[in-house]
């Protein structure tokens, strides 16, 4: 069967409605074939909009020339063209490849709405490389399942219609179609693991086993089916131990250890968090079994896994930010104050707190900088320690150093929207009320 027929057939199996196709177009051999096939297919379907998006990473001296080449080829095919330039933000211990991939997909996501398909040119050789790299890392089932042909992406879907085809198939089509493409010199560098697999490992293996790529794809399909099954099991288990924002430790521990870990991985994935290492996952399960007041803190790139009152929470980095600087609040000019720690404080009419006098300075301070340790609250009888008041408010520990304390001059008049000073109570309906939002 020809490459075009395989390509066309892949869409007949796709049970997703779409009115727009976005081709990720780097200008290399694979994406040039993808663009030509897309142009060939979708000219038969004028109700579907087709666009080529090129992401310029700026990593090579020829990057601008490559962008011009892509634009010229898209115009030759009669396909609308868009170029996106990105600047890489390389995190500690992150490879250039990974940073470039993250930036590339973020740029492509701008063009994908709820009725869009993003097409990428991954093929059977890429699938083999992905599986081998997952084996090298010691990945679990999610990693070994490699690349699915279709998945959710941005507001729409990402589709890989060439996964059943080999790079040799694409090269043959490109030559027969007299296509022009870019040769990126970095694709020859043995510095990159994928290139080592592509140029040294795969040729040796396919020489001995010519059908290797087809059998690898079959194994990947089996692994993906297995992953779907354990995801279904995790979703079922989560219904018994999860609320909207947390996991009940007691309910989680009713499961076997393997199912506990499966639920935790699934939970993290639903929140788009990185998977923990095997040692970290074991630590979470072990600490769920610890005494009730033991602290659980597992750090991940997006934040921390914390335990509070028998439940596990995902606490993002913004929620861990502790502000120490004083904010001055001009309440007349600013009904809503954005605090440096990402939370928000606003005031409204019709509350219990006296509004500030015209000469009074309103400031926002935080727990670490308080010179007082007790407060006479209208909501409680007598003076109580601030620590006790925050505990009684059932405030999660990671929020206690972020909560705003409101001062008129040097007088503490309110603790966010939780407590109001007895000395600054207004007559009924003549005061103001505060509202604090811990995150946006």
């Amino acid at each position: 069967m020809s490459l075009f027929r395989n390509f066309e057939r892949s869409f007949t199996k796709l049970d997703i409605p779409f009115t727009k196709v976005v081709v990720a177009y780097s200008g290399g051999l694979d994406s040039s074939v993808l663009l030509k096939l897309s142009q060939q297919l979708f000219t038969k379907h004028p109700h579907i909009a087709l666009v080529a998006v090129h992401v310029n990473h700026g990593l090579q001296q020829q990057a601008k020339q490559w962008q011009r080449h892509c634009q010229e080829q898209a115009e030759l095919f009669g396909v609308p063209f868009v170029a996106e330039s990105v600047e890489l933000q390389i995190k500690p211990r992150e490879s250039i490849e990974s940073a470039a991939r993250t930036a590339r997909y973020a740029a492509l996501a701008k063009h994908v709405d709820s009725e869009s398909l993003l097409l990428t040119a991954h093929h059977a050789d890429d699938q083999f490389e992905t599986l081998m790299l997952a084996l090298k890392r010691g990945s679990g089932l999610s990693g070994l399942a490699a690349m699915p042909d279709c998945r959710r992406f941005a507001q729409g879907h990402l589709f890989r219609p060439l996964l059943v085809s080999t790079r040799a198939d694409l090269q043959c089509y490109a030559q027969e179609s007299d296509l022009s493409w870019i040769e990126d010199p970095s694709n020859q560098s043995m510095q990159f693991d994928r290139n080592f697999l592509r140029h040294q490992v795969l040729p040796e293996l396919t020489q001995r086993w010519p059908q290797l790529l087809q059998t690898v794809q079959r194994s990947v399909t089996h692994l993906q089916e297995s992953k779907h099954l354990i995801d279904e099991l995790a979703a079922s288990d989560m219904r018994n131990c999860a609320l909207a924002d947390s996991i009940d430790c007691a309910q989680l521990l009713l499961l076997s250890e393997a199912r506990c870990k499966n639920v935790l991985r699934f939970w993290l994935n639903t929140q788009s968090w990185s998977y923990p290492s095997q040692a970290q996952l074991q630590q979470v399960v072990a600490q769920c079994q610890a005494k009730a007041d033991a602290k659980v803190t597992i750090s991940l790139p997006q934040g921390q896994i914390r335990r509070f009152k028998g439940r596990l929470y995902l606490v993002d980095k913004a929620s861990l930010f502790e502000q120490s600087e004083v904010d001055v609040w001009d309440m007349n000019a600013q009904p809503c104050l954005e605090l440096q720690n990402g939370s928000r404080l606003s005031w409204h009419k019709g509350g219990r707190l006296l509004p500030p006098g015209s000469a009074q300075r309103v400031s926002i301070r935080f727990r670490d900088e308080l010179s007082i340790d007790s407060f006479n609250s209208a909501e409680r009888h007598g003076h109580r320690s601030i620590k006790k008041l925050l505990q009684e408010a059932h405030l999660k520990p990671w929020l206690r150093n972020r909560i705003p304390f409101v001062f008129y001059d040097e007088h503490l008049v309110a603790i966010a929207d939780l407590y109001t000073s007895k000395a600054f109570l207004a007559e009924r309906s003549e005061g103001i009320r505060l509202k604090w939002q811990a995150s946006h």
Side-chain angles (χ1 to χ4, degrees):
M1 189 177 290
S2 72
L3 183 66
F4 177 75
R5 285 184 182 177
N6 274 335
F7 180 77
E8 185 175 34
R9 189 179 176 188
S10 70
F11 285 90
T12 63
K13 299 177 180 179
L14 192 64
D15 188 23
I16 296 171
F18 59 94
T19 59
K20 179 183 177 183
V21 169
V22 179
V23 176
Y25 181 38
S26 69
L29 169 68
D30 304 343
S31 68
S32 296
V33 169
L34 178 65
L35 183 61
K36 177 59 180 175
L37 289 168
S38 300
Q39 182 263 346
Q40 190 177 349
L41 176 60
F42 292 110
T43 50
K44 302 177 184 177
H45 305 278
H47 64 285
I48 294 176
L50 178 65
V51 60
V53 179
H54 173 79
V55 180
N56 186 341
H57 302 89
L59 293 174
Q60 303 282 355
Q61 289 183 348
Q62 310 98 310
K64 289 184 178 179
Q65 297 173 10
W66 294 347
Q67 180 175 318
R68 283 196 297 272
H69 167 87
C70 290
Q71 184 169 359
E72 290 167 1
Q73 292 301 304
E75 289 173 355
L76 183 65
F77 295 153
V79 177
F81 175 83
V82 178
E84 292 278 354
S85 295
V86 297
E87 291 185 13
L88 300 191
Q89 304 291 329
I90 302 176
K91 300 173 184 175
R93 294 184 298 226
E94 183 180 31
S95 67
I96 293 177
E97 289 174 293
S98 177
R101 182 169 55 251
T102 299
R104 180 166 62 253
Y105 279 116
L108 291 168
K110 298 177 186 177
H111 303 275
V112 178
D113 59 27
S114 60
E115 297 185 347
S116 296
L117 273 185
L118 171 66
L119 304 189
T120 63
H122 296 107
H123 46 69
D125 300 48
D126 295 319
Q127 189 75 296
F128 167 80
E129 293 161 14
T130 301
L131 175 63
M132 292 297 291
L133 291 172
L135 284 170
K136 185 207 75 160
R137 291 191 297 267
S139 299
L141 187 56
S142 292
L144 296 175
M147 295 182 289
D149 59 356
C150 188
R151 67 174 176 85
R152 292 288 306 176
F153 177 78
Q155 298 179 55
H157 289 81
L158 184 154
F159 183 46
R160 301 179 174 100
L162 300 176
L163 279 181
V164 297
S165 304
T166 67
R167 182 176 173 80
D169 294 333
L170 272 61
Q171 185 144 16
C172 183
Y173 175 87
Q175 291 169 345
E176 289 176 354
S177 303
D178 198 25
L179 297 183
S180 174
W181 64 87
I182 294 162
E183 292 289 356
D184 185 344
S186 68
N187 288 337
Q188 303 301 316
S189 171
M190 293 300 112
Q191 171 189 354
F192 301 113
D193 292 339
R194 277 192 180 273
N195 291 344
F196 169 71
L197 290 169
R198 184 175 305 158
H199 299 301
Q200 294 194 19
V201 176
L202 185 57
E204 290 284 335
L205 293 176
T206 51
Q207 184 175 357
R208 184 175 182 91
W209 300 301
Q211 302 303 312
L212 176 69
L213 291 178
Q214 287 79 7
T215 56
V216 164
Q217 183 60 41
R218 189 159 64 242
S219 292
V220 167
T221 300
H222 295 325
L223 289 165
Q224 288 172 351
E225 289 175 355
S226 297
K227 181 179 182 301
H228 288 316
L229 286 174
I230 67 166
D231 282 349
E232 288 178 7
L233 177 62
S236 175
D237 286 341
M238 267 192 69
R239 284 193 285 272
N240 297 322
C241 60
L243 292 178
D245 64 343
S246 60
I247 295 284
D248 186 292
C249 293
Q251 289 295 319
L252 183 68
L253 293 173
L254 294 176
L255 303 172
S256 68
E257 184 173 317
R259 285 171 70 173
C260 281
K261 292 178 180 178
N262 189 38
V263 166
L264 291 170
R265 290 192 196 96
F266 185 78
W267 180 44
L268 290 163
N269 188 51
T270 61
Q271 302 301 313
S272 300
W273 277 46
S274 304
Y275 284 151
S277 67
Q278 188 68 12
Q280 287 176 313
L281 204 56
Q282 188 68 46
Q283 188 180 0
V284 174
V285 175
Q287 293 193 21
C288 280
Q289 300 167 331
K291 58 183 181 180
D293 59 349
K295 293 183 179 179
V296 176
T297 303
I298 307 296
S299 294
L300 296 173
Q302 292 83 5
Q304 295 178 347
I305 302 175
R306 292 278 195 96
R307 191 177 81 173
F308 177 62
K309 291 190 177 297
R311 305 196 71 85
L312 293 177
Y313 293 86
L314 298 181
V315 185
D316 61 28
K317 285 185 175 178
S319 297
L320 295 170
F321 179 88
E322 296 180 2
Q323 182 174 336
S324 58
E325 298 179 12
V326 175
D327 270 317
V328 177
W329 189 10
D330 184 347
M331 297 179 75
N332 289 323
Q334 294 175 283
C336 180
L337 180 66
E338 302 283 346
L339 300 172
Q340 295 174 35
N341 62 21
S343 64
R344 174 185 296 173
L345 187 64
S346 59
W347 70 268
H348 309 267
K349 293 181 179 179
R352 307 181 71 191
L353 176 63
L354 274 174
S358 57
Q360 284 181 311
R361 177 179 183 268
V362 182
S363 61
I364 308 301
R365 305 178 194 180
F366 297 87
R367 190 178 177 190
D368 284 350
E369 61 200 13
L370 295 180
S371 58
I372 57 176
D373 56 13
S374 66
F375 184 61
N376 191 9
S377 162
E379 291 78 12
R380 295 290 186 270
H381 295 296
H383 279 77
R384 295 203 183 195
S385 72
I386 288 173
K387 179 180 179 180
K388 184 68 174 174
L389 287 171
L390 297 182
Q391 288 174 342
E392 290 177 354
H394 303 293
L395 202 64
K396 299 179 182 75
W398 52 91
L399 294 179
R400 293 175 191 171
N401 285 345
R402 301 179 71 227
I403 191 167
F405 291 75
V406 182
F407 283 77
Y408 292 172
D409 293 330
E410 295 303 314
H411 302 287
L412 176 59
V413 300
I415 302 176
D417 51 8
L418 301 175
Y419 302 110
T420 308
S421 169
K422 279 187 177 178
F424 285 82
L425 284 178
E427 296 291 336
R428 172 174 283 184
S429 76
E430 292 182 2
I432 59 174
R433 60 183 176 87
L434 301 176
K435 183 178 180 181
W436 178 56
Q437 294 172 281
S439 59
H440 295 194

